[in-house]
Amino acid sequence: MQVVKEQIMRALTTKPSSLDQFKSKLQNLSYTEILKIRQSERMNQEDFQSRPILELKEKIQPEILELIKQQRLNRLVEGTCFRKLNSRRRQDKFWYCRLSPNHKVLHYGDLEESPQGEVPHDSLQDKCLPICCDWERLPTYEGERSS
């Protein structure tokens, strides 16, 4: 309800000269647009640009980036099942891929049905792809590189 109220208030501040202009402005102020406006207004507030907040952000950023990296690696080690298209574009088989616990090999293979739980390592041993990757230098969010 607050979003609708804000849409109307913002549309009225432009002082539309006709009902059609008012409706047009309302359509331009979608729910997502209002959320974007709110987010930018919050970020522009002085509280978020204050020295203590910036210092705290700088202090916890390396820890958060490390946590993100570990979560991503854990998800790769856990593995994922994909639907496999056959020559007639039917999705009747599955393809599974996971990173080895030592982060050095990708194990993959075909499955007849979607796995219920963990896929045994020995069922994927015949198909593996060694990888050489410096996990410490992987890009993090926003294109930054961890050092």
Side-chain angles (χ1 to χ4, degrees), residues 70-102:
Q70 286 304 315
Q71 287 174 335
R72 288 177 180 174
L73 285 171
N74 289 342
R75 182 68 177 120
L76 290 171
V77 169
E78 188 179 306
T80 303
C81 186
F82 302 93
R83 289 193 175 274
K84 186 175 183 179
L85 293 175
N86 64 15
S87 61
R88 288 180 254 132
R89 296 273 192 212
R90 291 186 43 217
Q91 299 178 353
D92 53 357
K93 292 192 178 185
F94 295 89
W95 185 78
Y96 190 82
C97 183
R98 86 166 142 239
L99 183 63
S100 66
N102 65 3

Side-chain angles (χ1 to χ4, degrees), residues 28-42:
N28 291 337
L29 289 169
S30 66
Y31 177 77
T32 55
E33 187 63 29
I34 292 293
L35 291 181
K36 286 179 188 175
I37 292 169
R38 285 180 174 179
Q39 178 74 17
S40 70
E41 286 175 351
R42 270 194 304 252

Side-chain angles (χ1 to χ4, degrees), residues 43-139:
M43 294 307 286
N44 290 334
Q45 290 175 350
E46 287 184 25
D47 293 344
F48 287 103
Q49 303 302 324
S50 68
R51 184 180 174 121
I53 299 263
L54 293 174
E55 287 174 359
L56 178 62
K57 181 180 174 183
E58 187 176 311
K59 182 179 179 182
I60 64 173
Q61 188 173 16
E63 186 179 329
I64 290 172
L65 292 176
E66 181 62 27
L67 179 62
I68 291 169
K69 183 177 87 172
Q70 286 304 315
Q71 287 174 335
R72 288 177 180 174
L73 285 171
N74 289 342
R75 182 68 177 120
L76 290 171
V77 169
E78 188 179 306
T80 303
C81 186
F82 302 93
R83 289 193 175 274
K84 186 175 183 179
L85 293 175
N86 64 15
S87 61
R88 288 180 254 132
R89 296 273 192 212
R90 291 186 43 217
Q91 299 178 353
D92 53 357
K93 292 192 178 185
F94 295 89
W95 185 78
Y96 190 82
C97 183
R98 86 166 142 239
L99 183 63
S100 66
N102 65 3
H103 304 162
K104 294 185 179 185
V105 178
L106 280 175
H107 296 276
Y108 63 96
D110 295 331
L111 301 173
E112 292 298 320
E113 56 187 43
S114 181
Q116 303 299 321
E118 191 173 319
V119 175
H121 279 284
D122 51 330
S123 67
L124 300 173
Q125 288 300 331
D126 58 336
K127 295 184 179 179
C128 60
L129 178 66
I131 57 173
C132 181
C133 185
D134 183 359
W135 295 105
E136 298 301 317
R137 296 185 44 91
L138 282 178

